[in-house]
Amino acid sequence: MKKLFLLIFVGFTFIQCIAVKSSTTTATPVKNSNVTVVEKTNQPKTKLVVGVVVDQMRYDYLVKFYDKYGDGGFKRLMNDGYNLKNVHYNYIPTYTAVGHTSIYTGTTPVNHGIISNNWYDKYEKKSIYCVDDASYQTVGANSGGNKSPHRMLTTTITDQLHLAQNMKGKTIGIAIKDRSAILPAGHTANAAYWFEGGDVGKFISSTFYMNNLPSWVTDFNNSGKANNYLNETWDTYYDISTYTETLPDNNEFEGLFKGKNTPTFPYNLAELRKTNGNYNLIKGIPAGNSITTDFAEAAIIGENLGKSDYTDFIAISYSSTDYVGHQFGVNAKELEDTYIRLDKDLERLLNFLDTQVGKNKYTLFLTADHAAVQVPSYLNSLKIPAGYFNASEFEDYVNNITLKYFNSSDLVEDISNYQIFLNKDKIRELNLDVHKVSQVIADEIISFENVYKSVTALTLQSTSFSSGILQILQKGYNQKFSGDVLFIPNPSTVTYSKTGTTHGSGYIYDTHVPLIFYGNNIKQGKSDVYYPIVDIAPTISSLLNITEPNGCTGTTIIEVLK
């Protein structure tokens, strides 16, 4: 009897030891279908997730301007968080709407359906914008708010957090650009706010989310912050002579504000706003990032984010970096100063989160929606191959192909985003085979100057590319929405002006972006391991112990989690 009692006691003790060990073990994500299961941990619960997307930020800006940053912004994230140095977009095209959607859905256009910012709708026979939705009205202004995320076909990590908490907790998206606020916030967001320029100068929303702006938004809009920023002078934060990382202030590769004869500091904003769209000007200067930070802080206070029993999510996109890059290029003094000032805004945001939410109660990730190419005309001046794609000449070239082979110049309906959409009605009328027409065009356009690769939709549907630039193109191809022939320009070749820069390709200069995780349940460290951008959403899912977005194709970055 004593032996039996002893055996029972030992067995019960062993089971208790296992239970204690299980409840205090560190997080170990385990992939199982579309659900990432994480063992219980003794880490405190994340009260607020902060997603930060810097529009058009190349990875090398972290390194290039490192010595100009203070200790509390980018450096704090890099040194105290987990810095992933080899993160890339794994699809074409690398545009703003597609980037934000892919970050938050954990998948590529193949599944989520956002194939560009604007694209040709082959069903409606017109160009459409990614978040336009005539079903809804503007809230907070007379126009600019007929928007929703309805074109995004899958859920986001923000949606999944809401679903996991039975619609408790709050999700808010904030940006200067509408698409950068709407798409990350998802279908179930409590709110998305974006800045309406022109003569409005306010953050607005859509009846998709609400019928009236909350009082804290109205108070912010009435505070005069936007007007105050535009009554200042934009000069360099430090002495311009110390800005040795970029080209001379006055060079031929930068664009101009209307009313300026040279692209040089200082910029009298009070004067420039008169000829540059009034409040639109704030989008293209560092103050656009500053007012975004101001508004994010107001949102956290106004909505009591991070204060309830549930996990909240705020998605912040810094859009002005993109406007500055487009106008001045990646080697401009204006761009360098913009990142120096963004660093200060990040420091302010982090200090605010420490105080308002608590140092161990929030988790933040910072990344970019795409990077950007060196100004091609600048590369040409250095005898580096680069160029400009002539869209009108290309259209004539394609029409001549169809005229030569099929005796018709009416077989192409639209050419946009480096895609050719065929006129199926005309092809049927002429008793032609659409696949033959597509293949002939794909074979012939490779001879056009600056076309590097061309492929038909049928090939992308029937062939699996395992590597190279065509694999990246394939991940961005959506059978329902994309064109009939897709092509890729030569490296460093763009459809753009000869000043300033742009993006959109699958080349490394457009795909390589920063990714830093920071805060609660995140390790301190760095890694050179390659990760695709679609791994962010499942990693946040693992952190929060919730189901991944329903189209997710990424996997958890295990090494960043405690």
Side-chain angles (χ1 to χ4, degrees):
M1 187 71 178
K2 289 181 179 179
K3 289 183 180 180
L4 179 60
F5 177 81
L6 181 61
L7 286 171
I8 293 171
F9 176 79
V10 170
F12 180 75
T13 304
F14 179 70
I15 291 170
Q16 280 189 312
C17 289
I18 292 175
V20 171
K21 182 178 180 182
S22 175
S23 66
T24 58
T25 187
T26 55
T28 306
V30 181
K31 290 289 293 183
N32 180 15
S33 185
N34 283 331
V35 180
T36 302
V37 180
V38 182
E39 296 178 12
K40 290 178 65 178
T41 90
N42 57 0
Q43 295 292 325
K45 179 180 179 180
T46 295
K47 304 297 289 184
L48 177 66
V49 180
V50 183
V52 177
V53 179
V54 183
D55 203 322
Q56 203 191 114
M57 184 175 183
R58 292 164 56 111
Y59 169 78
D60 62 357
Y61 294 162
L62 287 178
V63 180
K64 187 175 184 178
F65 305 134
Y66 186 85
D67 291 340
K68 295 295 191 298
Y69 297 143
D71 293 329
F74 284 117
K75 283 184 179 179
R76 175 178 171 182
L77 296 177
M78 294 169 70
N79 297 328
D80 296 343
Y82 207 97
N83 183 15
L84 296 162
K85 300 190 290 181
N86 194 18
V87 171
H88 291 262
Y89 279 88
N90 60 336
Y91 61 80
I92 297 171
T94 45
Y95 294 136
T96 295
V98 197
H100 282 78
T101 305
S102 299
I103 290 167
Y104 281 86
T105 63
T107 191
T108 68
V110 169
N111 295 312
H112 62 57
I114 301 297
I115 64 171
S116 186
N117 295 332
N118 302 271
W119 66 89
Y120 181 73
D121 188 311
K122 52 193 176 185
Y123 307 103
E124 296 184 24
K125 307 296 184 183
K126 65 178 183 179
S127 180
I128 58 173
Y129 179 60
C130 56
V131 293
D132 273 352
D133 191 342
S135 302
Y136 299 96
Q137 288 75 50
T138 304
V139 176
N142 293 324
S143 61
N146 309 99
K147 316 289 180 184
S148 85
H150 75 290
R151 297 190 192 279
M152 180 170 60
L153 301 180
T154 59
T155 62
T156 59
I157 185 61
T158 44
D159 287 326
Q160 295 300 147
L161 179 59
H162 255 158
L163 291 170
Q165 300 180 121
N166 292 319
M167 302 307 293
K168 301 296 195 301
K170 293 181 179 180
T171 296
I172 293 178
I174 293 168
I176 292 291
K177 297 179 181 179
D178 49 23
R179 56 187 179 272
S180 304
I182 292 169
L183 297 168
H187 302 278
T188 63
N190 298 87
Y193 302 102
W194 53 95
F195 188 79
E196 182 70 4
D199 293 329
V200 178
K202 296 178 180 179
F203 281 90
I204 66 171
S205 191
S206 163
T207 53
F208 178 83
Y209 306 101
M210 66 194 74
N211 292 320
N212 297 288
L213 293 178
S215 59
W216 67 264
V217 178
T218 301
D219 291 343
F220 184 93
N221 285 334
N222 291 336
S223 68
K225 281 183 178 290
N227 189 64
N228 292 340
Y229 278 124
L230 288 178
N231 282 331
E232 298 177 354
T233 295
W234 177 21
D235 208 344
T236 53
Y237 190 87
Y238 299 117
D239 190 305
I240 196 169
S241 66
T242 67
Y243 285 27
T244 55
E245 293 78 13
T246 42
L247 293 175
D249 192 25
N250 189 11
N251 67 76
E252 62 184 298
F253 310 113
E254 301 177 56
L256 296 172
F257 282 121
K258 293 178 181 178
K260 282 278 284 185
N261 295 322
T262 58
T264 54
F265 285 102
Y267 290 91
N268 185 332
L269 303 178
E271 286 298 315
L272 289 175
R273 67 187 295 184
K274 298 175 184 177
T275 53
N276 290 271
N278 198 2
Y279 286 104
N280 281 341
L281 181 62
I282 204 169
K283 301 176 182 181
I285 60 175
N289 295 327
S290 298
I291 199 170
T292 300
T293 305
D294 297 337
F295 192 78
E297 291 178 357
I300 292 169
I301 293 173
E303 298 291 344
N304 291 311
L305 300 183
K307 298 292 188 181
S308 73
D309 293 333
Y310 302 94
T311 299
D312 299 318
F313 203 122
I314 184 167
I316 306 168
S317 182
Y318 287 107
S319 306
S320 293
T321 44
D322 184 68
Y323 289 100
V324 173
H326 276 298
Q327 180 156 342
F328 297 101
V330 306
N331 262 335
K333 294 281 187 285
E334 288 81 358
L335 185 92
E336 181 171 359
D337 192 69
T338 296
Y339 276 90
I340 289 170
R341 292 177 181 275
L342 175 59
D343 180 63
K344 303 301 179 186
D345 286 321
L346 287 173
E347 179 176 3
R348 176 159 62 95
L349 177 65
L350 291 169
N351 290 337
F352 174 84
L353 290 168
D354 290 344
T355 302
Q356 182 68 19
V357 182
K359 285 189 176 181
N360 297 318
K361 295 182 179 179
Y362 68 90
T363 302
L364 179 148
F365 68 83
L366 181 145
T367 188
D369 57 346
H370 52 75
V373 64
Q374 290 271 3
V375 179
S377 58
Y378 170 64
L379 295 178
N380 287 157
S381 74
L382 302 174
K383 300 181 180 179
I384 296 174
Y388 293 90
F389 191 86
N390 191 315
S392 60
E393 286 185 6
F394 181 74
E395 183 177 352
D396 291 340
Y397 190 86
V398 174
N399 286 333
N400 285 332
I401 291 170
T402 61
L403 184 62
K404 175 183 176 180
Y405 285 92
F406 305 107
N407 199 32
S408 175
S409 57
D410 298 322
L411 301 187
V412 173
E413 206 163 68
D414 183 80
I415 302 176
S416 55
N417 293 314
Y418 302 116
Q419 299 184 36
I420 299 172
F421 294 82
L422 296 180
N423 185 335
K424 306 291 178 57
D425 292 336
K426 188 66 175 179
I427 288 173
R428 281 191 290 269
E429 179 186 322
L430 297 176
N431 293 317
L432 298 172
D433 183 333
V434 65
H435 297 309
K436 182 179 179 181
V437 174
S438 298
Q439 190 61 59
V440 167
I441 292 174
D443 291 341
E444 291 294 317
I445 62 173
I446 200 69
S447 300
F448 186 80
E449 183 183 17
N450 284 326
V451 171
Y452 178 61
K453 296 280 187 182
S454 61
V455 64
T456 67
L458 179 62
T459 298
L460 292 174
Q461 294 167 25
S462 58
T463 304
S464 180
F465 294 97
S466 59
S467 62
I469 196 79
L470 289 181
Q471 181 196 41
I472 298 174
L473 182 68
Q474 190 167 47
K475 289 182 181 295
Y477 169 76
N478 184 290
Q479 183 178 357
K480 189 174 183 68
F481 304 123
S482 296
D484 301 288
V485 178
L486 293 81
F487 58 99
I488 300 171
N490 287 340
S492 299
T493 297
V494 299
T495 306
Y496 205 65
S497 66
K498 298 214 173 164
T499 58
T501 192
T502 191
H503 49 85
S505 80
Y507 296 113
I508 198 167
Y509 51 76
D510 279 339
T511 67
H512 192 190
V513 295
L515 175 57
I516 306 171
F517 288 91
Y518 173 87
N520 185 39
N521 285 323
I522 300 298
K523 291 179 183 176
Q524 182 180 9
K526 58 185 177 181
S527 173
D528 291 303
V529 175
Y530 167 86
Y531 290 104
I533 202 73
V534 294
D535 287 353
I536 294 175
T539 301
I540 295 298
S541 297
S542 295
L543 176 84
L544 300 175
N545 206 19
I546 63 175
T547 303
E548 297 160 339
N550 61 11
C552 186
T553 53
T555 57
T556 299
I557 306 174
I558 296 175
E559 62 178 293
V560 309
L561 301 176
K562 284 185 179 179

